[in-house]
Structure formats: structure tokens, C-alpha cells
């Protein structure tokens, strides 16, 4: 009978396999990025940017105002995500500071990428209010889970029940999109089932702890995140002046969101535009699409960033004042 392998004998093979997989993922991301850059370059060479600016000015004021209201509601909804993390970690920060930190982090995340916004700002601001690194990591992880849980369900429902009409030269039909949508929804349903069966259980996944919330919390996650993604789709639908079906606009936005994550381009700059042009230019003039996207970036990215910058300065001043008071009282 063969003797059992020595402890740790398989570790080198596992390490090599993990390293190879990381290389494959990195190469795939760069190939995807190169394809997006090539698409952007091909589209940008033939664009009349003066016409694009004219398209921005041609958006009716009621449409702009409606889009601005939806942008405000979307940022407000996203600001509640870290409250789920507070519920799961039981830290004692108030609702207003938590929502303020989430809003600041999200605004910087949209414009400068997740490492700067979603991660760095959360760690800095939460740590200055007394939270430890482990608690901050769990809050961040649960917020990300909330966001992508809603994404999977909305994207799945859109692809399954209202698949968009792809450009004529694409080889994917509605049947393929429905299969993809069903798969995404199954992932979301599996998460709900896990929450129903293993209520408030902590899972250790590759060294990271994941808390499973009660089913009612998971359903609230689903409601808020799905509503948020739907609102973002509504912003672009108004800016495109209802000339494309809402479900199609939402589906294209969801594709662009994943493309931005894969390429790691801060703010998805150029990626968002490339995806919308690729999927909608057979239905709308390119200048009109780009005009709507410029207005979208102004309303959803740049304006909240300006507000978040003010909030951040106020938060830093408040933190310094608190530390000064604590040092005085301890002295």
C-alpha cells in the first residue's frame, strides 16, 4: 500500500497553479483592454466633437432635471450600503457619518477607481472615527456584495426577460442572452438560499471572512441595489430622450459596468463610451449617444465629486477637532 503524501507535498503544485491562473487573468484583462482601446480609437477618429457638444446643449431641460433627480436618488441609495456592514459588524457609528463616508467613497470611486475611492477613503475615514482594519474590511466587503448582488439580479432579469437587440453583425441572439440571464439570476437565488439556510454564519473563503445575513437583510440588499442600478439606467434613458427602450439602455449600461471593472480604467473613461457606441450606434447617431454620456458624466460623476470633496474637507476638520479634544481631556 502506498504511503500517504507528506504534509504540504501538494503545496508547490497548488502555488504554481495559482500563479499560472493569475498570469492568465492578467493577460486576458490586458487583451480585453487593448480591444477596448482599439474600439475607442476607431470610433474617436470619425467623431465631430462640435456636433457632440451641440447634442449636449440640445437635451431638453426637463430631461436634464429628471436625470439630475435620479442621480441624486441613486447616490442616496448607494450611501445606505455601508449600513448593512454596520448591522453585520455591530460597530456603533451613527447613520449620518456612515452614509457620509459611503457617499464620499463612492464619488471618488466613480472618478478615480476602487482602490482610491472605495478602499482608501473608507479606510482613512473609518479609521479616524475609531474602527479597526478588520471591521472596515468587513464593512467594505458587505457593501461590495450588496452592489453586485443587485447587479446580478437586474442584469439577469434584463437579459432573460427583455434581451436587447444587438447589432446585425453580432453572432449572439436572444436565446443566448436569455441563457446568460438565467445563469446570473441563479447565482443571486443561490445567495438568497444560503442566507435562508445558514443565517448569520461566518464563512472563511481563502482567508477572508464573509458573513451571511438573515434572509430579510438579504432581501433588503436586493431591493436597494436593484433599485439603484435601475435608477442609473433611468438617468441615461432620460438623457437619450427616450429614443431607445429603457430595458435596452439598462442592459448596455450593465455591460459597460463590467467592462469598466475588467479594464480597471478609472471612471471607466472611454470604456463606457466605447460600449454604448458599439451597442447603440446602429440605432442612434454617434453624436447623440456621446452627448448623452457627457451629460451623464457631469451629473453622476463630476457634480457628486465636487460635493464629496467639500464633505471630505469637513470630515477631516471634524476628525482633527475630535482628536484635539481627546488629547486635551486625556492630558
Amino acid at each position: 500500500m502506498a504511503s500517504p503524501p507528506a504534509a504540504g507535498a501538494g503545496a508547490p503544485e497548488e502555488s504554481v497553479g495559482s500563479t499560472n491562473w493569475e498570469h492568465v487573468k492578467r493577460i486576458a484583462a490586458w487583451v480585453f483592454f487593448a480591444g477596448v482601446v482599439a474600439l475607442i480609437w476607431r470610433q474617436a477618429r470619425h467623431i465631430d466633437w462640435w456636433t457632440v457638444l451641440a447634442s449636449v446643449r440640445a437635451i431638453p431641460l426637463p430631461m436634464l432635471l429628471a436625470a439630475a433627480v435620479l442621480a441624486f436618488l441613486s447616490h442616496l441609495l448607494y450611501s445606505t450600503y455601508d449600513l448593512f456592514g454596520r448591522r453585520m459588524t455591530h460597530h456603533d457609528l451613527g447613520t449620518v457619518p456612515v452614509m457620509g463616508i459611503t457617499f464620499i467613497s463612492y464619488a471618488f470611486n466613480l472618478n478615480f477607481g476602487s482602490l482610491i475611492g472605495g478602499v482608501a477613503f473608507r479606510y482613512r475615514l473609518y479609521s479616524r472615527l475609531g474602527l479597526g482594519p478588520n471591521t472596515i474590511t468587513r464593512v467594505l466587503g458587505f457593501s461590495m456584495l450588496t452592489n453586485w448582488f443587485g447587479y446580478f439580479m437586474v442584469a439577469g432579469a434584463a437579459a432573460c426577460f427583455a434581451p436587447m437587440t444587438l447589432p446585425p453583425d453580432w453572432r449572439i441572439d436572444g436565446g443566448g442572452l436569455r441563457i446568460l440571464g438565467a445563469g446570473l439570476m441563479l447565482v443571486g437565488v443561490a445567495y438568497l438560499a444560503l442566507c435562508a439556510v445558514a443565517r448569520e454564519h461566518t464563512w472563511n473563503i481563502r482567508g477572508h471572512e464573509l458573513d451571511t445575513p438573515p434572509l430579510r437583510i438579504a432581501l433588503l440588499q436586493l431591493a436597494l441595489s436593484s433599485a439603484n442600478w435601475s435608477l442609473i439606467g433611468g438617468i441615461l434613458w432620460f438623457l437619450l430622450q427616450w429614443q431607445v427602450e429603457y430595458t435596452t439602455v439598462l442592459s448596455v449600461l450593465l455591460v459597460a459596468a463590467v467592462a469598466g471593472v475588467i479594464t480597471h480604467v478609472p471612471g471607466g473613461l472611454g470604456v463606457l463610451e466605447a460600449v454604448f457606441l458599439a451597442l447603440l450606434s446602429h440605432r442612434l447617431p454617434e453624436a447623440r449617444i456621446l452627448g448623452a454620456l457627457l451629460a451623464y458624466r457631469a451629473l453622476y460623476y463630476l457634480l457628486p465629486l465636487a460635493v464629496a470633496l467639500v464633505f471630505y474637507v469637513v470630515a477631516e476638520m471634524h476628525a482633527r477637532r475630535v482628536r484635539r479634544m481627546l488629547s486635551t481631556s486625556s492630558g
Side-chain angles (χ1 to χ4, degrees), residues 277-294:
L277 287 174
L279 295 176
L280 291 183
S281 59
H282 67 294
R283 301 190 57 182
L284 291 174
E286 291 181 351
R288 186 166 299 169
I289 296 172
L290 290 174
L293 293 174
L294 283 178

Side-chain angles (χ1 to χ4, degrees), residues 16-303:
V16 171
S18 176
T19 302
N20 289 337
W21 175 240
E22 290 298 323
H23 286 317
V24 170
K25 290 196 297 182
R26 190 174 294 112
I27 291 171
W30 276 107
V31 169
F32 185 85
F33 177 73
V36 170
V37 170
L39 181 61
I40 294 171
W41 172 251
R42 188 179 68 181
Q43 297 284 359
R45 286 185 304 166
H46 306 292
I47 292 172
D48 182 352
W49 291 101
W50 291 110
T51 306
V52 172
L53 293 176
S55 296
V56 175
R57 292 193 294 267
I59 299 174
L61 181 60
M63 296 288 186
L64 283 172
L65 292 176
V69 170
L70 293 184
F72 169 78
L73 293 175
S74 172
H75 278 272
L76 182 64
L77 271 182
Y78 193 97
S79 298
T80 64
Y81 287 7
D82 279 17
L83 296 176
F84 292 115
R86 184 183 68 174
R87 162 67 173 74
M88 298 304 296
T89 60
H90 306 289
H91 70 72
D92 58 358
L93 293 183
T95 299
V96 173
V98 170
M99 291 184 65
I101 290 173
T102 314
F103 167 72
I104 293 170
S105 301
Y106 184 47
F108 278 90
N109 180 25
L110 286 172
N111 289 275
F112 301 110
S114 59
L115 288 180
I116 295 176
V119 177
F121 272 82
R122 271 189 176 90
Y123 273 92
R124 177 172 179 81
L125 293 172
Y126 275 130
S127 63
R128 293 171 78 86
L129 293 178
L131 295 191
N134 183 58
T135 300
I136 300 171
T137 299
R138 293 172 66 193
V139 169
L140 171 62
F142 210 75
S143 185
M144 293 173 61
L145 176 62
T146 300
N147 183 54
W148 290 107
F149 175 35
Y151 175 93
F152 270 55
M153 296 300 279
V154 172
C160 194
F161 301 113
M164 60 180 161
T165 303
L166 295 171
D169 56 341
W170 286 45
R171 296 183 179 180
I172 302 176
D173 58 11
L177 290 176
R178 286 189 174 91
I179 293 173
L180 175 62
L184 292 175
M185 293 183 70
L186 280 175
V187 174
V189 171
Y191 173 69
L192 287 175
L194 183 64
C195 294
V197 173
R199 197 171 79 174
E200 295 201 68
H201 185 83
T202 299
W203 304 81
N204 194 301
I205 302 175
R206 302 183 69 175
H208 299 282
E209 289 186 350
L210 174 64
D211 296 315
T212 306
L215 180 60
R216 60 184 179 82
I217 297 296
L219 291 172
L220 189 55
Q221 282 181 283
L222 174 61
L224 293 180
S225 183
S226 299
N228 184 43
W229 283 107
S230 301
L231 285 172
I232 301 173
I235 297 169
L236 283 161
W237 186 53
F238 274 105
L239 294 175
L240 287 169
Q241 303 172 50
W242 303 347
Q243 295 185 347
V244 180
E245 302 85 9
Y246 167 75
T247 53
T248 297
V249 175
L250 177 61
S251 296
V252 177
L253 167 72
L254 295 170
V255 173
V258 169
V261 170
I262 294 174
T263 56
H264 298 291
V265 176
L269 189 61
V271 179
L272 177 72
E273 289 77 7
V275 171
F276 267 82
L277 287 174
L279 295 176
L280 291 183
S281 59
H282 67 294
R283 301 190 57 182
L284 291 174
E286 291 181 351
R288 186 166 299 169
I289 296 172
L290 290 174
L293 293 174
L294 283 178
Y296 168 69
R297 285 193 177 277
L299 290 174
Y300 200 74
Y301 286 64
L302 299 180
L303 183 58

